[in-house]
Short mmCIF file of all heavy atoms in Angstrom, two decimals:
data_model
loop_
_atom_site.label_atom_id
_atom_site.label_comp_id
_atom_site.label_asym_id
_atom_site.label_seq_id
_atom_site.Cartn_x
_atom_site.Cartn_y
_atom_site.Cartn_z
N GLU A 1422 -10.24 14.99 3.13
CA GLU A 1422 -10.47 16.20 2.41
C GLU A 1422 -9.93 16.14 1.04
O GLU A 1422 -10.46 16.74 0.10
CB GLU A 1422 -9.76 17.37 3.16
CG GLU A 1422 -10.43 17.77 4.50
CD GLU A 1422 -9.68 18.82 5.27
OE1 GLU A 1422 -8.56 19.21 4.78
OE2 GLU A 1422 -10.13 19.26 6.36
N GLU A 1423 -8.86 15.34 0.84
CA GLU A 1423 -8.21 15.18 -0.41
C GLU A 1423 -8.83 14.06 -1.26
O GLU A 1423 -8.43 13.85 -2.43
CB GLU A 1423 -6.69 14.91 -0.26
CG GLU A 1423 -5.96 16.11 0.34
CD GLU A 1423 -4.47 15.77 0.61
OE1 GLU A 1423 -4.13 14.62 0.55
OE2 GLU A 1423 -3.73 16.69 0.91
N GLY A 1424 -9.80 13.40 -0.67
CA GLY A 1424 -10.56 12.40 -1.46
C GLY A 1424 -10.00 11.01 -1.46
O GLY A 1424 -10.41 10.17 -2.23
N TYR A 1425 -8.99 10.75 -0.64
CA TYR A 1425 -8.35 9.44 -0.61
C TYR A 1425 -9.06 8.41 0.28
O TYR A 1425 -8.98 7.19 0.08
CB TYR A 1425 -6.91 9.54 -0.20
CG TYR A 1425 -6.01 10.21 -1.19
CD1 TYR A 1425 -5.49 11.51 -0.86
CD2 TYR A 1425 -5.68 9.62 -2.32
CE1 TYR A 1425 -4.67 12.15 -1.82
CE2 TYR A 1425 -4.91 10.27 -3.32
CZ TYR A 1425 -4.41 11.53 -3.01
OH TYR A 1425 -3.58 12.15 -3.93
N ILE A 1426 -9.75 8.86 1.34
CA ILE A 1426 -10.38 7.97 2.28
C ILE A 1426 -11.74 8.53 2.66
O ILE A 1426 -12.02 9.73 2.41
CB ILE A 1426 -9.58 7.75 3.55
CG1 ILE A 1426 -9.47 9.00 4.39
CG2 ILE A 1426 -8.25 7.13 3.25
CD1 ILE A 1426 -8.95 8.76 5.77
N LYS A 1427 -12.58 7.66 3.23
CA LYS A 1427 -13.81 8.09 3.89
C LYS A 1427 -13.58 7.95 5.40
O LYS A 1427 -13.26 6.85 5.83
CB LYS A 1427 -15.01 7.26 3.40
CG LYS A 1427 -15.36 7.38 1.93
CD LYS A 1427 -16.54 6.49 1.57
CE LYS A 1427 -16.84 6.63 0.10
NZ LYS A 1427 -17.96 5.72 -0.31
N TYR A 1428 -13.64 8.98 6.04
CA TYR A 1428 -13.30 9.05 7.50
C TYR A 1428 -14.48 9.39 8.37
O TYR A 1428 -15.20 10.38 8.10
CB TYR A 1428 -12.13 10.00 7.78
CG TYR A 1428 -11.87 10.22 9.26
CD1 TYR A 1428 -11.37 9.16 10.02
CD2 TYR A 1428 -12.15 11.41 9.84
CE1 TYR A 1428 -11.10 9.35 11.40
CE2 TYR A 1428 -11.88 11.60 11.19
CZ TYR A 1428 -11.38 10.57 11.98
OH TYR A 1428 -11.17 10.80 13.30
N SER A 1429 -14.79 8.55 9.37
CA SER A 1429 -15.83 8.79 10.30
C SER A 1429 -15.27 8.79 11.69
O SER A 1429 -14.73 7.77 12.17
CB SER A 1429 -16.92 7.71 10.22
OG SER A 1429 -17.97 7.89 11.15
N PRO A 1430 -15.31 9.93 12.43
CA PRO A 1430 -14.78 9.95 13.83
C PRO A 1430 -15.38 8.90 14.70
O PRO A 1430 -16.56 8.59 14.64
CB PRO A 1430 -15.21 11.36 14.28
CG PRO A 1430 -15.36 12.16 13.06
CD PRO A 1430 -15.92 11.22 12.02
N TYR A 1431 -14.54 8.26 15.54
CA TYR A 1431 -14.94 7.22 16.45
C TYR A 1431 -15.37 5.93 15.77
O TYR A 1431 -15.90 4.97 16.44
CB TYR A 1431 -16.04 7.67 17.42
CG TYR A 1431 -15.71 9.03 18.12
CD1 TYR A 1431 -16.38 10.14 17.71
CD2 TYR A 1431 -14.66 9.11 19.04
CE1 TYR A 1431 -16.13 11.38 18.28
CE2 TYR A 1431 -14.39 10.34 19.60
CZ TYR A 1431 -15.10 11.45 19.24
OH TYR A 1431 -14.82 12.63 19.83
N HIS A 1432 -15.23 5.87 14.47
CA HIS A 1432 -15.65 4.67 13.74
C HIS A 1432 -14.48 4.09 12.93
O HIS A 1432 -14.02 2.96 13.18
CB HIS A 1432 -16.81 5.00 12.82
CG HIS A 1432 -17.36 3.83 12.09
ND1 HIS A 1432 -17.80 2.67 12.77
CD2 HIS A 1432 -17.56 3.50 10.76
CE1 HIS A 1432 -18.23 1.77 11.90
NE2 HIS A 1432 -18.13 2.28 10.66
N GLY A 1433 -13.96 4.90 12.04
CA GLY A 1433 -12.75 4.43 11.29
C GLY A 1433 -12.71 4.98 9.87
O GLY A 1433 -13.45 5.86 9.50
N SER A 1434 -11.89 4.31 9.05
CA SER A 1434 -11.62 4.80 7.71
C SER A 1434 -11.72 3.69 6.71
O SER A 1434 -11.42 2.51 6.96
CB SER A 1434 -10.28 5.46 7.56
OG SER A 1434 -10.11 6.47 8.50
N THR A 1435 -12.19 4.03 5.46
CA THR A 1435 -12.13 3.15 4.35
C THR A 1435 -11.55 3.90 3.15
O THR A 1435 -11.67 5.12 3.11
CB THR A 1435 -13.50 2.57 3.90
OG1 THR A 1435 -14.34 3.70 3.69
CG2 THR A 1435 -14.11 1.74 5.06
N LEU A 1436 -10.95 3.22 2.20
CA LEU A 1436 -10.36 3.83 1.07
C LEU A 1436 -11.40 4.15 0.02
O LEU A 1436 -12.38 3.35 -0.18
CB LEU A 1436 -9.34 2.90 0.43
CG LEU A 1436 -8.05 2.62 1.22
CD1 LEU A 1436 -7.28 1.48 0.64
CD2 LEU A 1436 -7.20 3.89 1.31
N THR A 1437 -11.33 5.29 -0.67
CA THR A 1437 -12.16 5.63 -1.77
C THR A 1437 -11.52 4.94 -2.99
O THR A 1437 -10.44 4.35 -2.88
CB THR A 1437 -12.22 7.12 -2.01
OG1 THR A 1437 -10.86 7.58 -2.30
CG2 THR A 1437 -12.78 7.82 -0.77
N GLU A 1438 -12.11 5.02 -4.14
CA GLU A 1438 -11.55 4.45 -5.35
C GLU A 1438 -10.24 5.13 -5.65
O GLU A 1438 -9.27 4.51 -6.07
CB GLU A 1438 -12.54 4.59 -6.54
CG GLU A 1438 -13.69 3.64 -6.47
CD GLU A 1438 -13.31 2.18 -6.47
OE1 GLU A 1438 -12.47 1.78 -7.32
OE2 GLU A 1438 -13.82 1.40 -5.63
N LYS A 1439 -10.16 6.44 -5.43
CA LYS A 1439 -8.95 7.20 -5.66
C LYS A 1439 -7.88 6.71 -4.66
O LYS A 1439 -6.67 6.52 -5.07
CB LYS A 1439 -9.23 8.68 -5.42
CG LYS A 1439 -8.01 9.59 -5.53
CD LYS A 1439 -8.35 11.08 -5.27
CE LYS A 1439 -7.09 11.95 -5.30
NZ LYS A 1439 -7.47 13.38 -4.98
N GLY A 1440 -8.22 6.57 -3.43
CA GLY A 1440 -7.28 6.05 -2.44
C GLY A 1440 -6.79 4.65 -2.64
O GLY A 1440 -5.66 4.33 -2.48
N LEU A 1441 -7.79 3.81 -3.10
CA LEU A 1441 -7.44 2.43 -3.39
C LEU A 1441 -6.43 2.32 -4.52
O LEU A 1441 -5.46 1.47 -4.47
CB LEU A 1441 -8.69 1.65 -3.74
CG LEU A 1441 -8.47 0.18 -4.11
CD1 LEU A 1441 -7.92 -0.60 -2.95
CD2 LEU A 1441 -9.83 -0.42 -4.55
N LYS A 1442 -6.56 3.18 -5.53
CA LYS A 1442 -5.64 3.16 -6.64
C LYS A 1442 -4.23 3.43 -6.19
O LYS A 1442 -3.30 2.79 -6.55
CB LYS A 1442 -6.07 4.19 -7.68
CG LYS A 1442 -5.28 4.16 -9.02
CD LYS A 1442 -5.83 5.12 -9.99
CE LYS A 1442 -5.16 5.05 -11.33
NZ LYS A 1442 -5.43 3.75 -12.03
N GLU A 1443 -4.08 4.50 -5.39
CA GLU A 1443 -2.74 4.88 -4.89
C GLU A 1443 -2.21 3.82 -3.91
O GLU A 1443 -1.03 3.52 -3.90
CB GLU A 1443 -2.82 6.25 -4.23
CG GLU A 1443 -3.17 7.38 -5.16
CD GLU A 1443 -2.10 7.60 -6.23
OE1 GLU A 1443 -0.95 7.24 -6.01
OE2 GLU A 1443 -2.41 8.10 -7.28
N ALA A 1444 -3.12 3.26 -3.05
CA ALA A 1444 -2.63 2.28 -2.06
C ALA A 1444 -2.15 1.00 -2.76
O ALA A 1444 -1.13 0.43 -2.38
CB ALA A 1444 -3.78 1.98 -1.12
N GLN A 1445 -2.88 0.59 -3.81
CA GLN A 1445 -2.43 -0.59 -4.53
C GLN A 1445 -1.11 -0.38 -5.22
O GLN A 1445 -0.30 -1.32 -5.39
CB GLN A 1445 -3.51 -1.04 -5.55
CG GLN A 1445 -4.77 -1.65 -4.89
CD GLN A 1445 -5.76 -2.14 -5.91
OE1 GLN A 1445 -5.93 -1.53 -6.98
NE2 GLN A 1445 -6.50 -3.16 -5.62
N LYS A 1446 -0.95 0.81 -5.77
CA LYS A 1446 0.26 1.15 -6.54
C LYS A 1446 1.47 1.01 -5.58
O LYS A 1446 2.52 0.41 -5.96
CB LYS A 1446 0.16 2.59 -7.06
CG LYS A 1446 1.32 2.98 -7.98
CD LYS A 1446 1.23 2.24 -9.29
CE LYS A 1446 2.34 2.75 -10.28
NZ LYS A 1446 2.27 2.01 -11.55
N ILE A 1447 1.43 1.67 -4.46
CA ILE A 1447 2.63 1.70 -3.54
C ILE A 1447 2.81 0.29 -2.91
O ILE A 1447 3.91 -0.15 -2.71
CB ILE A 1447 2.50 2.81 -2.49
CG1 ILE A 1447 3.84 2.94 -1.80
CG2 ILE A 1447 1.40 2.48 -1.44
CD1 ILE A 1447 4.94 3.48 -2.62
N THR A 1448 1.70 -0.41 -2.66
CA THR A 1448 1.77 -1.74 -2.07
C THR A 1448 2.36 -2.75 -3.12
O THR A 1448 3.20 -3.56 -2.80
CB THR A 1448 0.38 -2.27 -1.68
OG1 THR A 1448 -0.16 -1.40 -0.71
CG2 THR A 1448 0.46 -3.70 -1.14
N ARG A 1449 2.02 -2.53 -4.40
CA ARG A 1449 2.60 -3.41 -5.43
C ARG A 1449 4.11 -3.13 -5.49
O ARG A 1449 4.90 -4.14 -5.62
CB ARG A 1449 1.94 -3.02 -6.83
CG ARG A 1449 2.62 -3.71 -7.98
CD ARG A 1449 1.86 -3.41 -9.24
NE ARG A 1449 2.65 -3.74 -10.45
CZ ARG A 1449 2.81 -4.97 -10.92
NH1 ARG A 1449 2.16 -5.97 -10.30
NH2 ARG A 1449 3.51 -5.21 -12.02
N LYS A 1450 4.54 -1.92 -5.53
CA LYS A 1450 6.00 -1.68 -5.56
C LYS A 1450 6.70 -2.27 -4.35
O LYS A 1450 7.77 -2.89 -4.46
CB LYS A 1450 6.22 -0.11 -5.61
CG LYS A 1450 5.80 0.49 -6.89
CD LYS A 1450 6.17 1.98 -6.94
CE LYS A 1450 5.80 2.59 -8.29
NZ LYS A 1450 6.11 4.03 -8.37
N HIS A 1451 6.09 -2.12 -3.19
CA HIS A 1451 6.70 -2.68 -1.94
C HIS A 1451 6.83 -4.27 -2.09
O HIS A 1451 7.93 -4.80 -1.74
CB HIS A 1451 5.83 -2.35 -0.75
CG HIS A 1451 6.31 -2.93 0.53
ND1 HIS A 1451 7.14 -2.24 1.40
CD2 HIS A 1451 6.09 -4.14 1.18
CE1 HIS A 1451 7.41 -2.98 2.43
NE2 HIS A 1451 6.75 -4.14 2.34
N ARG A 1452 5.81 -4.91 -2.51
CA ARG A 1452 5.83 -6.32 -2.54
C ARG A 1452 6.72 -6.90 -3.66
O ARG A 1452 7.33 -7.94 -3.55
CB ARG A 1452 4.43 -6.89 -2.61
CG ARG A 1452 3.65 -6.62 -1.32
CD ARG A 1452 2.19 -7.07 -1.39
NE ARG A 1452 1.53 -6.72 -0.15
CZ ARG A 1452 0.24 -6.84 0.11
NH1 ARG A 1452 -0.58 -7.36 -0.83
NH2 ARG A 1452 -0.29 -6.43 1.24
N LEU A 1453 6.82 -6.14 -4.78
CA LEU A 1453 7.78 -6.56 -5.83
C LEU A 1453 9.21 -6.44 -5.27
O LEU A 1453 10.04 -7.28 -5.58
CB LEU A 1453 7.55 -5.68 -7.04
CG LEU A 1453 6.38 -6.03 -7.95
CD1 LEU A 1453 6.27 -4.89 -9.07
CD2 LEU A 1453 6.54 -7.41 -8.58
N LEU A 1454 9.44 -5.35 -4.57
CA LEU A 1454 10.81 -5.12 -4.00
C LEU A 1454 11.11 -6.22 -2.99
O LEU A 1454 12.27 -6.74 -2.91
CB LEU A 1454 10.89 -3.76 -3.38
CG LEU A 1454 11.02 -2.59 -4.32
CD1 LEU A 1454 10.70 -1.23 -3.64
CD2 LEU A 1454 12.37 -2.59 -5.06
N GLU A 1455 10.14 -6.63 -2.21
CA GLU A 1455 10.37 -7.73 -1.27
C GLU A 1455 10.77 -8.99 -2.01
O GLU A 1455 11.68 -9.71 -1.58
CB GLU A 1455 9.13 -7.93 -0.40
CG GLU A 1455 8.94 -6.87 0.68
CD GLU A 1455 7.83 -7.30 1.61
OE1 GLU A 1455 6.96 -8.00 1.24
OE2 GLU A 1455 7.89 -6.83 2.79
N SER A 1456 10.14 -9.27 -3.10
CA SER A 1456 10.42 -10.44 -3.90
C SER A 1456 11.83 -10.39 -4.40
O SER A 1456 12.57 -11.37 -4.49
CB SER A 1456 9.38 -10.64 -5.02
OG SER A 1456 8.11 -10.87 -4.53
N PHE A 1457 12.23 -9.20 -4.97
CA PHE A 1457 13.55 -8.96 -5.53
C PHE A 1457 14.62 -9.13 -4.42
O PHE A 1457 15.58 -9.87 -4.66
CB PHE A 1457 13.59 -7.64 -6.14
CG PHE A 1457 14.93 -7.25 -6.65
CD1 PHE A 1457 15.52 -7.84 -7.77
CD2 PHE A 1457 15.72 -6.34 -6.01
CE1 PHE A 1457 16.80 -7.54 -8.25
CE2 PHE A 1457 16.99 -5.97 -6.48
CZ PHE A 1457 17.51 -6.54 -7.63
N LEU A 1458 14.42 -8.55 -3.31
CA LEU A 1458 15.36 -8.58 -2.27
C LEU A 1458 15.54 -9.93 -1.72
O LEU A 1458 16.67 -10.39 -1.41
CB LEU A 1458 14.97 -7.62 -1.14
CG LEU A 1458 15.00 -6.07 -1.44
CD1 LEU A 1458 14.25 -5.30 -0.40
CD2 LEU A 1458 16.42 -5.59 -1.60
N SER A 1459 14.44 -10.67 -1.57
CA SER A 1459 14.50 -12.03 -1.00
C SER A 1459 14.96 -13.09 -1.98
O SER A 1459 15.85 -13.86 -1.72
CB SER A 1459 13.11 -12.40 -0.44
OG SER A 1459 13.14 -13.74 0.08
N ASN A 1460 14.34 -13.07 -3.19
CA ASN A 1460 14.58 -14.17 -4.12
C ASN A 1460 15.81 -13.94 -5.01
O ASN A 1460 16.31 -14.94 -5.53
CB ASN A 1460 13.35 -14.37 -4.96
CG ASN A 1460 12.12 -14.75 -4.17
OD1 ASN A 1460 12.25 -15.35 -3.08
ND2 ASN A 1460 10.96 -14.38 -4.64
N VAL A 1461 16.16 -12.70 -5.26
CA VAL A 1461 17.32 -12.42 -6.15
C VAL A 1461 18.59 -12.08 -5.36
O VAL A 1461 19.62 -12.64 -5.56
CB VAL A 1461 16.99 -11.30 -7.14
CG1 VAL A 1461 18.17 -10.98 -8.02
CG2 VAL A 1461 15.82 -11.72 -8.04
N LEU A 1462 18.46 -11.13 -4.45
CA LEU A 1462 19.59 -10.71 -3.66
C LEU A 1462 19.79 -11.59 -2.40
O LEU A 1462 20.81 -11.40 -1.74
CB LEU A 1462 19.38 -9.23 -3.21
CG LEU A 1462 19.28 -8.19 -4.34
CD1 LEU A 1462 19.30 -6.76 -3.76
CD2 LEU A 1462 20.43 -8.38 -5.31
N ARG A 1463 18.86 -12.47 -2.09
CA ARG A 1463 18.98 -13.42 -0.96
C ARG A 1463 19.15 -12.71 0.37
O ARG A 1463 19.85 -13.20 1.23
CB ARG A 1463 20.17 -14.37 -1.21
CG ARG A 1463 20.07 -15.15 -2.55
CD ARG A 1463 18.83 -15.98 -2.60
NE ARG A 1463 18.71 -16.77 -3.82
CZ ARG A 1463 17.72 -17.53 -4.14
NH1 ARG A 1463 16.68 -17.62 -3.35
NH2 ARG A 1463 17.67 -18.18 -5.28
N ILE A 1464 18.53 -11.55 0.54
CA ILE A 1464 18.53 -10.91 1.82
C ILE A 1464 17.51 -11.60 2.75
O ILE A 1464 16.44 -12.06 2.31
CB ILE A 1464 18.12 -9.40 1.62
CG1 ILE A 1464 19.24 -8.71 0.88
CG2 ILE A 1464 17.88 -8.76 2.98
CD1 ILE A 1464 18.95 -7.25 0.54
N GLY A 1465 17.86 -11.74 4.02
CA GLY A 1465 17.05 -12.44 4.98
C GLY A 1465 15.65 -11.85 5.06
O GLY A 1465 15.47 -10.67 4.97
N LYS A 1466 14.66 -12.77 5.22
CA LYS A 1466 13.26 -12.34 5.26
C LYS A 1466 12.96 -11.41 6.43
O LYS A 1466 11.98 -10.65 6.38
CB LYS A 1466 12.37 -13.54 5.30
CG LYS A 1466 12.35 -14.31 3.98
CD LYS A 1466 11.33 -15.47 4.06
CE LYS A 1466 11.29 -16.21 2.73
NZ LYS A 1466 10.28 -17.31 2.71
N ASP A 1467 13.79 -11.43 7.47
CA ASP A 1467 13.63 -10.53 8.54
C ASP A 1467 14.05 -9.08 8.30
O ASP A 1467 13.75 -8.13 9.06
CB ASP A 1467 14.41 -11.04 9.82
CG ASP A 1467 15.90 -11.16 9.50
OD1 ASP A 1467 16.30 -11.46 8.38
OD2 ASP A 1467 16.71 -10.94 10.46
#
């Protein structure tokens, strides 16, 4: 309803362009943080 995904009951969901933009943004932050935590702070990969 908010325009982030295309949803079809009993079939599934795909991201709209609006949803993809937000998904990539939060995923980018997550993966950058993983790199920082692992490669700089040396926190275990687990």
Side-chain angles (χ1 to χ4, degrees):
E1422 291 174 357
E1423 295 175 349
Y1425 290 111
I1426 67 169
K1427 295 178 181 177
Y1428 171 67
S1429 176
Y1431 309 109
H1432 185 55
S1434 303
T1435 57
L1436 293 167
T1437 62
E1438 288 299 313
K1439 177 182 177 181
L1441 178 61
K1442 186 178 185 66
E1443 294 297 335
Q1445 286 182 328
K1446 185 71 174 177
I1447 193 64
T1448 299
R1449 172 177 166 79
K1450 290 182 177 182
H1451 177 92
R1452 294 178 182 173
L1453 282 173
L1454 284 166
E1455 285 190 333
S1456 295
F1457 175 71
L1458 292 166
S1459 178
N1460 300 332
V1461 178
L1462 299 186
R1463 303 300 180 184
I1464 292 177
K1466 291 186 178 181
D1467 59 326

